[in-house]
PDB file of all heavy atoms in Angstrom:
ATOM      1  N   TRP A   5     -44.309  14.123  24.086  1.00  0.00           N
ATOM      2  CA  TRP A   5     -43.859  13.007  24.934  1.00  0.00           C
ATOM      3  C   TRP A   5     -44.270  11.669  24.346  1.00  0.00           C
ATOM      4  O   TRP A   5     -43.530  10.685  24.433  1.00  0.00           O
ATOM      5  CB  TRP A   5     -44.394  13.161  26.353  1.00  0.00           C
ATOM      6  CG  TRP A   5     -43.626  14.188  27.125  1.00  0.00           C
ATOM      7  CD1 TRP A   5     -44.086  15.396  27.555  1.00  0.00           C
ATOM      8  CD2 TRP A   5     -42.270  14.105  27.543  1.00  0.00           C
ATOM      9  NE1 TRP A   5     -43.086  16.070  28.212  1.00  0.00           N
ATOM     10  CE2 TRP A   5     -41.963  15.299  28.221  1.00  0.00           C
ATOM     11  CE3 TRP A   5     -41.270  13.156  27.400  1.00  0.00           C
ATOM     12  CZ2 TRP A   5     -40.706  15.559  28.771  1.00  0.00           C
ATOM     13  CZ3 TRP A   5     -40.015  13.411  27.943  1.00  0.00           C
ATOM     14  CH2 TRP A   5     -39.743  14.595  28.617  1.00  0.00           C
ATOM     15  N   ALA A   6     -45.439  11.606  23.731  1.00  0.00           N
ATOM     16  CA  ALA A   6     -45.877  10.352  23.113  1.00  0.00           C
ATOM     17  C   ALA A   6     -44.973   9.978  21.934  1.00  0.00           C
ATOM     18  O   ALA A   6     -44.614   8.810  21.768  1.00  0.00           O
ATOM     19  CB  ALA A   6     -47.329  10.469  22.656  1.00  0.00           C
ATOM     20  N   LEU A   7     -44.590  10.967  21.130  1.00  0.00           N
ATOM     21  CA  LEU A   7     -43.686  10.692  20.013  1.00  0.00           C
ATOM     22  C   LEU A   7     -42.315  10.238  20.513  1.00  0.00           C
ATOM     23  O   LEU A   7     -41.699   9.338  19.942  1.00  0.00           O
ATOM     24  CB  LEU A   7     -43.527  11.937  19.133  1.00  0.00           C
ATOM     25  CG  LEU A   7     -44.692  12.247  18.207  1.00  0.00           C
ATOM     26  CD1 LEU A   7     -44.496  13.611  17.564  1.00  0.00           C
ATOM     27  CD2 LEU A   7     -44.831  11.179  17.149  1.00  0.00           C
ATOM     28  N   PHE A   8     -41.843  10.858  21.589  1.00  0.00           N
ATOM     29  CA  PHE A   8     -40.558  10.446  22.130  1.00  0.00           C
ATOM     30  C   PHE A   8     -40.661   9.037  22.722  1.00  0.00           C
ATOM     31  O   PHE A   8     -39.711   8.264  22.636  1.00  0.00           O
ATOM     32  CB  PHE A   8     -40.076  11.451  23.180  1.00  0.00           C
ATOM     33  CG  PHE A   8     -38.603  11.388  23.405  1.00  0.00           C
ATOM     34  CD1 PHE A   8     -37.717  11.724  22.403  1.00  0.00           C
ATOM     35  CD2 PHE A   8     -38.099  10.978  24.618  1.00  0.00           C
ATOM     36  CE1 PHE A   8     -36.349  11.658  22.604  1.00  0.00           C
ATOM     37  CE2 PHE A   8     -36.734  10.906  24.829  1.00  0.00           C
ATOM     38  CZ  PHE A   8     -35.855  11.246  23.822  1.00  0.00           C
ATOM     39  N   ALA A   9     -41.809   8.688  23.298  1.00  0.00           N
ATOM     40  CA  ALA A   9     -42.012   7.327  23.804  1.00  0.00           C
ATOM     41  C   ALA A   9     -41.963   6.317  22.654  1.00  0.00           C
ATOM     42  O   ALA A   9     -41.388   5.232  22.798  1.00  0.00           O
ATOM     43  CB  ALA A   9     -43.340   7.236  24.548  1.00  0.00           C
ATOM     44  N   VAL A  10     -42.539   6.669  21.512  1.00  0.00           N
ATOM     45  CA  VAL A  10     -42.483   5.794  20.344  1.00  0.00           C
ATOM     46  C   VAL A  10     -41.031   5.619  19.885  1.00  0.00           C
ATOM     47  O   VAL A  10     -40.606   4.508  19.535  1.00  0.00           O
ATOM     48  CB  VAL A  10     -43.374   6.343  19.203  1.00  0.00           C
ATOM     49  CG1 VAL A  10     -43.133   5.598  17.899  1.00  0.00           C
ATOM     50  CG2 VAL A  10     -44.838   6.272  19.595  1.00  0.00           C
ATOM     51  N   ALA A  11     -40.253   6.700  19.915  1.00  0.00           N
ATOM     52  CA  ALA A  11     -38.840   6.605  19.551  1.00  0.00           C
ATOM     53  C   ALA A  11     -38.099   5.667  20.511  1.00  0.00           C
ATOM     54  O   ALA A  11     -37.250   4.879  20.085  1.00  0.00           O
ATOM     55  CB  ALA A  11     -38.194   7.989  19.558  1.00  0.00           C
ATOM     56  N   MET A  12     -38.423   5.735  21.793  1.00  0.00           N
ATOM     57  CA  MET A  12     -37.791   4.834  22.764  1.00  0.00           C
ATOM     58  C   MET A  12     -38.205   3.386  22.525  1.00  0.00           C
ATOM     59  O   MET A  12     -37.413   2.457  22.715  1.00  0.00           O
ATOM     60  CB  MET A  12     -38.145   5.240  24.199  1.00  0.00           C
ATOM     61  CG  MET A  12     -37.558   6.560  24.648  1.00  0.00           C
ATOM     62  SD  MET A  12     -35.759   6.559  24.629  1.00  0.00           S
ATOM     63  CE  MET A  12     -35.416   7.491  23.159  1.00  0.00           C
ATOM     64  N   LEU A  13     -39.442   3.178  22.086  1.00  0.00           N
ATOM     65  CA  LEU A  13     -39.904   1.831  21.749  1.00  0.00           C
ATOM     66  C   LEU A  13     -39.111   1.283  20.561  1.00  0.00           C
ATOM     67  O   LEU A  13     -38.669   0.127  20.573  1.00  0.00           O
ATOM     68  CB  LEU A  13     -41.405   1.846  21.444  1.00  0.00           C
ATOM     69  CG  LEU A  13     -42.023   0.506  21.099  1.00  0.00           C
ATOM     70  CD1 LEU A  13     -41.941  -0.437  22.293  1.00  0.00           C
ATOM     71  CD2 LEU A  13     -43.464   0.693  20.669  1.00  0.00           C
ATOM     72  N   PHE A  14     -38.893   2.129  19.541  1.00  0.00           N
ATOM     73  CA  PHE A  14     -38.080   1.708  18.405  1.00  0.00           C
ATOM     74  C   PHE A  14     -36.645   1.422  18.838  1.00  0.00           C
ATOM     75  O   PHE A  14     -36.019   0.480  18.358  1.00  0.00           O
ATOM     76  CB  PHE A  14     -38.077   2.770  17.299  1.00  0.00           C
ATOM     77  CG  PHE A  14     -39.280   2.713  16.407  1.00  0.00           C
ATOM     78  CD1 PHE A  14     -40.138   3.802  16.318  1.00  0.00           C
ATOM     79  CD2 PHE A  14     -39.559   1.594  15.659  1.00  0.00           C
ATOM     80  CE1 PHE A  14     -41.237   3.772  15.492  1.00  0.00           C
ATOM     81  CE2 PHE A  14     -40.662   1.543  14.826  1.00  0.00           C
ATOM     82  CZ  PHE A  14     -41.509   2.635  14.743  1.00  0.00           C
ATOM     83  N   TRP A  15     -36.123   2.254  19.727  1.00  0.00           N
ATOM     84  CA  TRP A  15     -34.742   2.060  20.190  1.00  0.00           C
ATOM     85  C   TRP A  15     -34.610   0.731  20.933  1.00  0.00           C
ATOM     86  O   TRP A  15     -33.674  -0.038  20.690  1.00  0.00           O
ATOM     87  CB  TRP A  15     -34.331   3.224  21.075  1.00  0.00           C
ATOM     88  CG  TRP A  15     -32.925   3.164  21.591  1.00  0.00           C
ATOM     89  CD1 TRP A  15     -31.883   2.411  21.114  1.00  0.00           C
ATOM     90  CD2 TRP A  15     -32.398   3.876  22.694  1.00  0.00           C
ATOM     91  NE1 TRP A  15     -30.747   2.631  21.853  1.00  0.00           N
ATOM     92  CE2 TRP A  15     -31.036   3.534  22.831  1.00  0.00           C
ATOM     93  CE3 TRP A  15     -32.931   4.793  23.591  1.00  0.00           C
ATOM     94  CZ2 TRP A  15     -30.232   4.062  23.811  1.00  0.00           C
ATOM     95  CZ3 TRP A  15     -32.121   5.327  24.564  1.00  0.00           C
ATOM     96  CH2 TRP A  15     -30.790   4.953  24.668  1.00  0.00           C
ATOM     97  N   SER A  16     -35.539   0.443  21.831  1.00  0.00           N
ATOM     98  CA  SER A  16     -35.452  -0.819  22.576  1.00  0.00           C
ATOM     99  C   SER A  16     -35.633  -2.012  21.643  1.00  0.00           C
ATOM    100  O   SER A  16     -34.955  -3.034  21.805  1.00  0.00           O
ATOM    101  CB  SER A  16     -36.473  -0.848  23.722  1.00  0.00           C
ATOM    102  OG  SER A  16     -37.778  -0.719  23.233  1.00  0.00           O
ATOM    103  N   THR A  17     -36.503  -1.892  20.654  1.00  0.00           N
ATOM    104  CA  THR A  17     -36.663  -2.970  19.675  1.00  0.00           C
ATOM    105  C   THR A  17     -35.374  -3.173  18.894  1.00  0.00           C
ATOM    106  O   THR A  17     -34.941  -4.317  18.662  1.00  0.00           O
ATOM    107  CB  THR A  17     -37.820  -2.656  18.713  1.00  0.00           C
ATOM    108  OG1 THR A  17     -39.011  -2.449  19.461  1.00  0.00           O
ATOM    109  CG2 THR A  17     -38.035  -3.775  17.717  1.00  0.00           C
ATOM    110  N   GLY A  18     -34.737  -2.079  18.508  1.00  0.00           N
ATOM    111  CA  GLY A  18     -33.462  -2.175  17.800  1.00  0.00           C
ATOM    112  C   GLY A  18     -32.379  -2.807  18.656  1.00  0.00           C
ATOM    113  O   GLY A  18     -31.572  -3.602  18.162  1.00  0.00           O
ATOM    114  N   MET A  19     -32.360  -2.493  19.943  1.00  0.00           N
ATOM    115  CA  MET A  19     -31.369  -3.087  20.836  1.00  0.00           C
ATOM    116  C   MET A  19     -31.619  -4.585  21.005  1.00  0.00           C
ATOM    117  O   MET A  19     -30.672  -5.377  21.061  1.00  0.00           O
ATOM    118  CB  MET A  19     -31.379  -2.396  22.205  1.00  0.00           C
ATOM    119  CG  MET A  19     -30.739  -1.034  22.213  1.00  0.00           C
ATOM    120  SD  MET A  19     -29.057  -0.968  21.563  1.00  0.00           S
ATOM    121  CE  MET A  19     -28.214  -2.147  22.562  1.00  0.00           C
ATOM    122  N   ILE A  20     -32.882  -4.971  21.077  1.00  0.00           N
ATOM    123  CA  ILE A  20     -33.212  -6.398  21.190  1.00  0.00           C
ATOM    124  C   ILE A  20     -32.766  -7.146  19.931  1.00  0.00           C
ATOM    125  O   ILE A  20     -32.163  -8.221  20.013  1.00  0.00           O
ATOM    126  CB  ILE A  20     -34.718  -6.587  21.465  1.00  0.00           C
ATOM    127  CG1 ILE A  20     -35.061  -6.103  22.876  1.00  0.00           C
ATOM    128  CG2 ILE A  20     -35.137  -8.035  21.275  1.00  0.00           C
ATOM    129  CD1 ILE A  20     -36.529  -5.958  23.151  1.00  0.00           C
ATOM    130  N   LEU A  21     -33.031  -6.558  18.766  1.00  0.00           N
ATOM    131  CA  LEU A  21     -32.600  -7.192  17.518  1.00  0.00           C
ATOM    132  C   LEU A  21     -31.082  -7.226  17.405  1.00  0.00           C
ATOM    133  O   LEU A  21     -30.506  -8.208  16.918  1.00  0.00           O
ATOM    134  CB  LEU A  21     -33.210  -6.469  16.316  1.00  0.00           C
ATOM    135  CG  LEU A  21     -34.706  -6.676  16.110  1.00  0.00           C
ATOM    136  CD1 LEU A  21     -35.206  -5.801  14.969  1.00  0.00           C
ATOM    137  CD2 LEU A  21     -35.014  -8.126  15.850  1.00  0.00           C
ATOM    138  N   SER A  22     -30.423  -6.167  17.850  1.00  0.00           N
ATOM    139  CA  SER A  22     -28.962  -6.141  17.821  1.00  0.00           C
ATOM    140  C   SER A  22     -28.376  -7.196  18.751  1.00  0.00           C
ATOM    141  O   SER A  22     -27.404  -7.878  18.394  1.00  0.00           O
ATOM    142  CB  SER A  22     -28.463  -4.755  18.222  1.00  0.00           C
ATOM    143  OG  SER A  22     -27.067  -4.703  18.225  1.00  0.00           O
ATOM    144  N   ALA A  23     -28.957  -7.355  19.926  1.00  0.00           N
ATOM    145  CA  ALA A  23     -28.491  -8.386  20.861  1.00  0.00           C
ATOM    146  C   ALA A  23     -28.703  -9.773  20.265  1.00  0.00           C
ATOM    147  O   ALA A  23     -27.808 -10.636  20.349  1.00  0.00           O
ATOM    148  CB  ALA A  23     -29.240  -8.257  22.189  1.00  0.00           C
ATOM    149  N   TRP A  24     -29.844  -9.972  19.660  1.00  0.00           N
ATOM    150  CA  TRP A  24     -30.134 -11.264  19.040  1.00  0.00           C
ATOM    151  C   TRP A  24     -29.125 -11.558  17.934  1.00  0.00           C
ATOM    152  O   TRP A  24     -28.602 -12.667  17.819  1.00  0.00           O
ATOM    153  CB  TRP A  24     -31.558 -11.263  18.507  1.00  0.00           C
ATOM    154  CG  TRP A  24     -31.937 -12.498  17.768  1.00  0.00           C
ATOM    155  CD1 TRP A  24     -32.040 -13.766  18.275  1.00  0.00           C
ATOM    156  CD2 TRP A  24     -32.237 -12.611  16.376  1.00  0.00           C
ATOM    157  NE1 TRP A  24     -32.403 -14.645  17.290  1.00  0.00           N
ATOM    158  CE2 TRP A  24     -32.535 -13.958  16.112  1.00  0.00           C
ATOM    159  CE3 TRP A  24     -32.306 -11.695  15.340  1.00  0.00           C
ATOM    160  CZ2 TRP A  24     -32.882 -14.402  14.851  1.00  0.00           C
ATOM    161  CZ3 TRP A  24     -32.655 -12.137  14.085  1.00  0.00           C
ATOM    162  CH2 TRP A  24     -32.930 -13.482  13.845  1.00  0.00           C
ATOM    163  N   GLN A  25     -28.799 -10.542  17.126  1.00  0.00           N
ATOM    164  CA  GLN A  25     -27.854 -10.716  16.041  1.00  0.00           C
ATOM    165  C   GLN A  25     -26.459 -11.033  16.579  1.00  0.00           C
ATOM    166  O   GLN A  25     -25.799 -11.954  16.093  1.00  0.00           O
ATOM    167  CB  GLN A  25     -27.802  -9.453  15.192  1.00  0.00           C
ATOM    168  CG  GLN A  25     -26.813  -9.524  14.047  1.00  0.00           C
ATOM    169  CD  GLN A  25     -26.781  -8.241  13.244  1.00  0.00           C
ATOM    170  OE1 GLN A  25     -27.494  -7.294  13.535  1.00  0.00           O
ATOM    171  NE2 GLN A  25     -25.947  -8.201  12.228  1.00  0.00           N
ATOM    172  N   ASP A  26     -26.010 -10.280  17.565  1.00  0.00           N
ATOM    173  CA  ASP A  26     -24.656 -10.490  18.092  1.00  0.00           C
ATOM    174  C   ASP A  26     -24.512 -11.781  18.887  1.00  0.00           C
ATOM    175  O   ASP A  26     -23.493 -12.461  18.804  1.00  0.00           O
ATOM    176  CB  ASP A  26     -24.242  -9.318  18.982  1.00  0.00           C
ATOM    177  CG  ASP A  26     -23.901  -8.080  18.185  1.00  0.00           C
ATOM    178  OD1 ASP A  26     -23.784  -8.185  16.949  1.00  0.00           O
ATOM    179  OD2 ASP A  26     -23.764  -7.012  18.802  1.00  0.00           O
ATOM    180  N   LEU A  27     -25.519 -12.109  19.674  1.00  0.00           N
ATOM    181  CA  LEU A  27     -25.382 -13.251  20.576  1.00  0.00           C
ATOM    182  C   LEU A  27     -25.756 -14.580  19.936  1.00  0.00           C
ATOM    183  O   LEU A  27     -25.306 -15.628  20.383  1.00  0.00           O
ATOM    184  CB  LEU A  27     -26.219 -13.014  21.836  1.00  0.00           C
ATOM    185  CG  LEU A  27     -25.805 -11.766  22.641  1.00  0.00           C
ATOM    186  CD1 LEU A  27     -26.761 -11.536  23.793  1.00  0.00           C
ATOM    187  CD2 LEU A  27     -24.377 -11.866  23.117  1.00  0.00           C
ATOM    188  N   SER A  28     -26.575 -14.547  18.886  1.00  0.00           N
ATOM    189  CA  SER A  28     -26.963 -15.804  18.250  1.00  0.00           C
ATOM    190  C   SER A  28     -26.275 -16.039  16.914  1.00  0.00           C
ATOM    191  O   SER A  28     -26.317 -17.140  16.384  1.00  0.00           O
ATOM    192  CB  SER A  28     -28.482 -15.834  18.041  1.00  0.00           C
ATOM    193  OG  SER A  28     -28.848 -14.942  17.003  1.00  0.00           O
ATOM    194  N   GLY A  29     -25.683 -14.999  16.340  1.00  0.00           N
ATOM    195  CA  GLY A  29     -25.047 -15.137  15.037  1.00  0.00           C
ATOM    196  C   GLY A  29     -26.007 -14.966  13.883  1.00  0.00           C
ATOM    197  O   GLY A  29     -25.607 -15.054  12.726  1.00  0.00           O
ATOM    198  N   GLN A  30     -27.275 -14.726  14.166  1.00  0.00           N
ATOM    199  CA  GLN A  30     -28.263 -14.504  13.116  1.00  0.00           C
ATOM    200  C   GLN A  30     -28.148 -13.070  12.604  1.00  0.00           C
ATOM    201  O   GLN A  30     -27.601 -12.203  13.262  1.00  0.00           O
ATOM    202  CB  GLN A  30     -29.679 -14.747  13.650  1.00  0.00           C
ATOM    203  CG  GLN A  30     -29.906 -16.129  14.188  1.00  0.00           C
ATOM    204  CD  GLN A  30     -29.832 -17.193  13.107  1.00  0.00           C
ATOM    205  OE1 GLN A  30     -30.279 -16.990  11.996  1.00  0.00           O
ATOM    206  NE2 GLN A  30     -29.250 -18.333  13.446  1.00  0.00           N
ATOM    207  N   VAL A  31     -28.729 -12.808  11.447  1.00  0.00           N
ATOM    208  CA  VAL A  31     -28.701 -11.466  10.873  1.00  0.00           C
ATOM    209  C   VAL A  31     -30.065 -10.818  11.096  1.00  0.00           C
ATOM    210  O   VAL A  31     -31.086 -11.331  10.660  1.00  0.00           O
ATOM    211  CB  VAL A  31     -28.376 -11.515   9.364  1.00  0.00           C
ATOM    212  CG1 VAL A  31     -28.417 -10.128   8.771  1.00  0.00           C
ATOM    213  CG2 VAL A  31     -27.022 -12.153   9.139  1.00  0.00           C
ATOM    214  N   ALA A  32     -30.048  -9.682  11.795  1.00  0.00           N
ATOM    215  CA  ALA A  32     -31.286  -8.943  12.056  1.00  0.00           C
ATOM    216  C   ALA A  32     -31.374  -7.763  11.093  1.00  0.00           C
ATOM    217  O   ALA A  32     -30.374  -7.306  10.549  1.00  0.00           O
ATOM    218  CB  ALA A  32     -31.310  -8.456  13.495  1.00  0.00           C
ATOM    219  N   SER A  33     -32.564  -7.258  10.931  1.00  0.00           N
ATOM    220  CA  SER A  33     -32.775  -6.109  10.064  1.00  0.00           C
ATOM    221  C   SER A  33     -32.421  -4.824  10.809  1.00  0.00           C
ATOM    222  O   SER A  33     -32.726  -4.665  11.983  1.00  0.00           O
ATOM    223  CB  SER A  33     -34.242  -6.063   9.641  1.00  0.00           C
ATOM    224  OG  SER A  33     -34.502  -4.862   8.973  1.00  0.00           O
ATOM    225  N   ASP A  34     -31.785  -3.902  10.106  1.00  0.00           N
ATOM    226  CA  ASP A  34     -31.476  -2.606  10.696  1.00  0.00           C
ATOM    227  C   ASP A  34     -32.605  -1.601  10.488  1.00  0.00           C
ATOM    228  O   ASP A  34     -32.456  -0.428  10.796  1.00  0.00           O
ATOM    229  CB  ASP A  34     -30.183  -2.036  10.098  1.00  0.00           C
ATOM    230  CG  ASP A  34     -28.955  -2.770  10.604  1.00  0.00           C
ATOM    231  OD1 ASP A  34     -29.057  -3.384  11.687  1.00  0.00           O
ATOM    232  OD2 ASP A  34     -27.916  -2.714   9.936  1.00  0.00           O
ATOM    233  N   ALA A  35     -33.732  -2.046   9.985  1.00  0.00           N
ATOM    234  CA  ALA A  35     -34.837  -1.140   9.683  1.00  0.00           C
ATOM    235  C   ALA A  35     -35.386  -0.461  10.933  1.00  0.00           C
ATOM    236  O   ALA A  35     -35.929   0.634  10.851  1.00  0.00           O
ATOM    237  CB  ALA A  35     -35.958  -1.903   8.977  1.00  0.00           C
ATOM    238  N   THR A  36     -35.254  -1.070  12.086  1.00  0.00           N
ATOM    239  CA  THR A  36     -35.806  -0.463  13.297  1.00  0.00           C
ATOM    240  C   THR A  36     -34.982   0.724  13.774  1.00  0.00           C
ATOM    241  O   THR A  36     -35.470   1.530  14.546  1.00  0.00           O
ATOM    242  CB  THR A  36     -35.893  -1.495  14.436  1.00  0.00           C
ATOM    243  OG1 THR A  36     -34.603  -2.062  14.615  1.00  0.00           O
ATOM    244  CG2 THR A  36     -36.902  -2.556  14.132  1.00  0.00           C
ATOM    245  N   TYR A  37     -33.734   0.847  13.322  1.00  0.00           N
ATOM    246  CA  TYR A  37     -32.908   1.978  13.757  1.00  0.00           C
ATOM    247  C   TYR A  37     -33.272   3.270  13.038  1.00  0.00           C
ATOM    248  O   TYR A  37     -33.076   4.344  13.562  1.00  0.00           O
ATOM    249  CB  TYR A  37     -31.422   1.684  13.517  1.00  0.00           C
ATOM    250  CG  TYR A  37     -30.864   0.610  14.384  1.00  0.00           C
ATOM    251  CD1 TYR A  37     -30.537  -0.638  13.857  1.00  0.00           C
ATOM    252  CD2 TYR A  37     -30.680   0.817  15.737  1.00  0.00           C
ATOM    253  CE1 TYR A  37     -30.013  -1.634  14.654  1.00  0.00           C
ATOM    254  CE2 TYR A  37     -30.167  -0.178  16.551  1.00  0.00           C
ATOM    255  CZ  TYR A  37     -29.830  -1.387  15.997  1.00  0.00           C
ATOM    256  OH  TYR A  37     -29.325  -2.369  16.791  1.00  0.00           O
ATOM    257  N   PHE A  38     -33.763   3.193  11.821  1.00  0.00           N
ATOM    258  CA  PHE A  38     -33.977   4.383  11.013  1.00  0.00           C
ATOM    259  C   PHE A  38     -35.037   5.344  11.554  1.00  0.00           C
ATOM    260  O   PHE A  38     -34.850   6.542  11.479  1.00  0.00           O
ATOM    261  CB  PHE A  38     -34.292   3.995   9.565  1.00  0.00           C
ATOM    262  CG  PHE A  38     -33.165   3.277   8.896  1.00  0.00           C
ATOM    263  CD1 PHE A  38     -33.370   2.087   8.231  1.00  0.00           C
ATOM    264  CD2 PHE A  38     -31.874   3.776   8.954  1.00  0.00           C
ATOM    265  CE1 PHE A  38     -32.322   1.425   7.620  1.00  0.00           C
ATOM    266  CE2 PHE A  38     -30.816   3.110   8.350  1.00  0.00           C
ATOM    267  CZ  PHE A  38     -31.046   1.932   7.676  1.00  0.00           C
ATOM    268  N   PRO A  39     -36.174   4.900  12.083  1.00  0.00           N
ATOM    269  CA  PRO A  39     -37.186   5.861  12.521  1.00  0.00           C
ATOM    270  C   PRO A  39     -36.835   6.620  13.799  1.00  0.00           C
ATOM    271  O   PRO A  39     -37.496   7.583  14.129  1.00  0.00           O
ATOM    272  CB  PRO A  39     -38.433   5.005  12.773  1.00  0.00           C
ATOM    273  CG  PRO A  39     -38.158   3.684  12.186  1.00  0.00           C
ATOM    274  CD  PRO A  39     -36.682   3.538  12.116  1.00  0.00           C
ATOM    275  N   ILE A  40     -35.800   6.230  14.524  1.00  0.00           N
ATOM    276  CA  ILE A  40     -35.525   6.843  15.825  1.00  0.00           C
ATOM    277  C   ILE A  40     -35.253   8.335  15.689  1.00  0.00           C
ATOM    278  O   ILE A  40     -35.861   9.144  16.368  1.00  0.00           O
ATOM    279  CB  ILE A  40     -34.350   6.139  16.526  1.00  0.00           C
ATOM    280  CG1 ILE A  40     -34.738   4.708  16.854  1.00  0.00           C
ATOM    281  CG2 ILE A  40     -33.952   6.879  17.792  1.00  0.00           C
ATOM    282  CD1 ILE A  40     -33.593   3.871  17.354  1.00  0.00           C
ATOM    283  N   SER A  41     -34.344   8.725  14.825  1.00  0.00           N
ATOM    284  CA  SER A  41     -33.972  10.136  14.715  1.00  0.00           C
ATOM    285  C   SER A  41     -35.120  11.025  14.243  1.00  0.00           C
ATOM    286  O   SER A  41     -35.370  12.053  14.867  1.00  0.00           O
ATOM    287  CB  SER A  41     -32.772  10.297  13.788  1.00  0.00           C
ATOM    288  OG  SER A  41     -31.650   9.711  14.376  1.00  0.00           O
ATOM    289  N   PRO A  42     -35.839  10.680  13.178  1.00  0.00           N
ATOM    290  CA  PRO A  42     -36.934  11.563  12.768  1.00  0.00           C
ATOM    291  C   PRO A  42     -38.024  11.692  13.831  1.00  0.00           C
ATOM    292  O   PRO A  42     -38.538  12.791  14.053  1.00  0.00           O
ATOM    293  CB  PRO A  42     -37.496  10.900  11.504  1.00  0.00           C
ATOM    294  CG  PRO A  42     -36.434  10.002  11.023  1.00  0.00           C
ATOM    295  CD  PRO A  42     -35.628   9.605  12.214  1.00  0.00           C
ATOM    296  N   ILE A  43     -38.355  10.593  14.503  1.00  0.00           N
ATOM    297  CA  ILE A  43     -39.416  10.670  15.514  1.00  0.00           C
ATOM    298  C   ILE A  43     -38.960  11.498  16.694  1.00  0.00           C
ATOM    299  O   ILE A  43     -39.696  12.334  17.204  1.00  0.00           O
ATOM    300  CB  ILE A  43     -39.850   9.256  15.950  1.00  0.00           C
ATOM    301  CG1 ILE A  43     -40.595   8.574  14.803  1.00  0.00           C
ATOM    302  CG2 ILE A  43     -40.746   9.321  17.187  1.00  0.00           C
ATOM    303  CD1 ILE A  43     -40.941   7.136  15.060  1.00  0.00           C
ATOM    304  N   SER A  44     -37.699  11.339  17.136  1.00  0.00           N
ATOM    305  CA  SER A  44     -37.251  12.135  18.270  1.00  0.00           C
ATOM    306  C   SER A  44     -37.095  13.597  17.902  1.00  0.00           C
ATOM    307  O   SER A  44     -37.298  14.453  18.737  1.00  0.00           O
ATOM    308  CB  SER A  44     -35.964  11.623  18.884  1.00  0.00           C
ATOM    309  OG  SER A  44     -35.281  10.739  18.128  1.00  0.00           O
ATOM    310  N   CYS A  45     -36.766  13.883  16.653  1.00  0.00           N
ATOM    311  CA  CYS A  45     -36.694  15.290  16.240  1.00  0.00           C
ATOM    312  C   CYS A  45     -38.083  15.920  16.195  1.00  0.00           C
ATOM    313  O   CYS A  45     -38.240  17.092  16.523  1.00  0.00           O
ATOM    314  CB  CYS A  45     -36.033  15.406  14.874  1.00  0.00           C
ATOM    315  SG  CYS A  45     -34.270  15.063  14.920  1.00  0.00           S
TER     316      CYS A  45
END
């Protein structure tokens, strides 16, 4: 459950960066999306 919580933390961080990128026009890093799958697995 702790590992899955960390994956959810990465997911929410990625969503925040994605929102910032889309709504402000800035370019965010996609690095936060990569750890989600391995941690949840």
Side-chain angles (χ1 to χ4, degrees):
W5 283 112
L7 284 171
F8 201 65
V10 169
M12 292 299 103
L13 181 64
F14 278 119
W15 181 18
S16 60
T17 303
M19 285 306 304
I20 290 167
L21 288 175
S22 179
W24 176 65
Q25 179 181 0
D26 286 349
L27 299 175
S28 72
Q30 301 294 322
V31 177
S33 171
D34 287 338
T36 55
Y37 292 108
F38 297 130
I40 295 171
S41 293
I43 290 174
S44 15
C45 289

